[in-house]
Amino acid sequence: MTLRYNPQSLEKQVRKWPVFFSEQDLHSDIKIRLNQMLGNFSDGLINPFSVELPFDEDIIYEYGVDACRLAVINANYSENSQNLLEPSYKWIAKLHEYFIKNNNSERFNPIYWLDALIQFQDHIEKRNSDRLAFSFVMKALKEAPPNACLENREKELIYACLFPFTPIYVLSNLVDSNDIIKINKILESYNEYICVKIALENGGWHWGVFNRNEYKDNPIKELNKIKWIKKATENKKIILKDVDGGIRICF
């Protein structure tokens, strides 16, 4: 990695790779990348340059395709995306700086990144909300930034969370265009954690990530570490029911 985030250099590198598939619509592009990670779509380079973005070519060149994608996503596909170009560029630059310079001795906490990853299918495919899916990635970067001493599985976890949104940055750091990271592989490598589908008695489903042994010993205690659950269950007697592959919290 270079010391400075340089989207023009990264795009030049990725343009050399053979293209497997192209998609012009950004949301469709994101969904296909997610399905590659789920193993539901063939591996190979989905052309990140074919997506139509609402900016002039010189703007796209200046900020880079990835930053332009984030601007559109964070604007929720509205006309306000132009105003989000600079913050989107700075967000990727900050991410890159963490990878290069941050030698923090504190242990990297993967829970926030695992939480982001398991939310993707619900938000991208079922709810068509790329912005909400990416908000979990932004939260992960804020709460658990990477550093220069990450293990391979930790890098793969972060790259997987970034891949649907900033594919050029991710692809430029992978070995080759066929090296698509699979979600199941990542979850298996983090077997010490458990991903749990959760809902209140009459509420919709959400996901939570917990230490597997601690959750097994005291699931209610672990569930109450999530703020919205603690608020809803405070001073109430609850029971946990196994429903539809998840846990429903009943009063």
Side-chain angles (χ1 to χ4, degrees):
M1 283 188 175
T2 58
L3 293 178
R4 179 178 173 273
Y5 172 59
N6 186 334
Q8 293 80 20
S9 176
L10 299 185
E11 289 180 11
K12 184 178 180 181
Q13 175 184 339
V14 173
R15 284 184 187 277
K16 297 177 182 178
W17 292 10
V19 172
F20 163 66
F21 189 80
S22 296
E23 184 61 73
Q24 291 184 312
D25 175 70
L26 178 55
H27 179 60
S28 298
D29 174 274
I30 290 171
K31 286 178 66 176
I32 291 174
R33 294 180 190 282
L34 171 61
N35 275 283
Q36 278 191 321
M37 293 163 55
L38 291 169
N40 299 331
F41 195 83
S42 299
D43 287 352
L45 179 63
I46 300 172
N47 188 359
F49 306 105
S50 64
V51 171
E52 294 182 355
L53 297 166
F55 309 111
D56 294 336
E57 287 187 12
D58 58 334
I59 295 294
I60 296 175
Y61 178 80
E62 178 183 355
Y63 287 97
V65 170
D66 282 344
C68 291
R69 288 168 66 101
L70 293 191
V72 174
I73 292 166
N74 282 324
N76 204 22
Y77 297 89
S78 73
E79 296 179 357
N80 298 324
S81 54
Q82 185 89 23
N83 299 328
L84 296 176
L85 282 168
E86 189 70 22
S88 297
Y89 176 89
K90 288 181 177 178
W91 189 88
I92 304 174
K94 181 172 71 173
L95 166 76
H96 183 75
E97 186 174 338
Y98 278 130
F99 271 117
I100 298 300
K101 296 183 178 181
N102 186 353
N103 291 308
N104 196 330
S105 59
E106 291 185 12
R107 189 74 180 90
F108 173 74
N109 184 357
I111 284 182
Y112 294 98
W113 294 96
L114 288 166
D115 188 40
L117 193 63
I118 62 172
Q119 305 281 354
F120 281 0
Q121 193 165 14
D122 278 350
H123 295 309
I124 293 173
E125 283 204 319
K126 297 179 181 178
R127 302 181 188 181
N128 292 318
S129 181
D130 301 329
R131 181 175 66 171
L132 186 53
F134 184 66
S135 71
F136 285 92
V137 180
M138 292 193 294
K139 179 181 179 180
L141 183 65
K142 180 181 178 181
E143 300 292 343
N147 59 67
C149 303
L150 293 181
E151 301 173 1
N152 285 336
R153 70 168 184 166
E154 294 168 340
K155 291 180 182 178
E156 286 189 344
L157 171 59
I158 295 173
Y159 288 149
C161 289
L162 295 169
F163 178 62
F165 311 107
T166 58
I168 294 172
Y169 184 79
V170 174
L171 290 167
S172 66
N173 288 293
L174 296 178
V175 176
D176 58 52
S177 59
N178 292 315
D179 196 12
I180 303 300
I181 301 167
K182 297 296 189 293
I183 290 177
N184 283 344
K185 176 187 173 186
I186 291 175
L187 296 181
E188 288 171 3
S189 72
Y190 281 94
N191 189 52
E192 67 268 37
Y193 296 93
I194 183 171
C195 302
V196 183
K197 190 168 70 167
I198 317 160
L200 295 177
E201 193 166 27
N202 297 309
W205 291 105
H206 303 268
W207 285 93
V209 181
F210 308 95
N211 178 283
R212 185 179 295 274
N213 290 333
E214 291 175 3
Y215 181 83
K216 182 180 178 181
D217 291 340
N218 194 336
I220 293 178
K221 178 182 177 181
E222 293 304 300
L223 289 169
N224 276 317
K225 290 180 179 179
I226 299 177
K227 290 181 180 179
W228 61 268
I229 294 179
K230 183 178 181 180
K231 183 178 179 181
T233 62
E234 196 166 14
N235 299 321
K236 296 177 182 176
K237 291 183 178 180
I238 65 173
I239 58 173
L240 306 181
K241 294 184 178 180
D242 293 326
V243 180
D244 298 332
I247 298 296
R248 193 168 284 280
I249 303 170
C250 301
F251 303 102

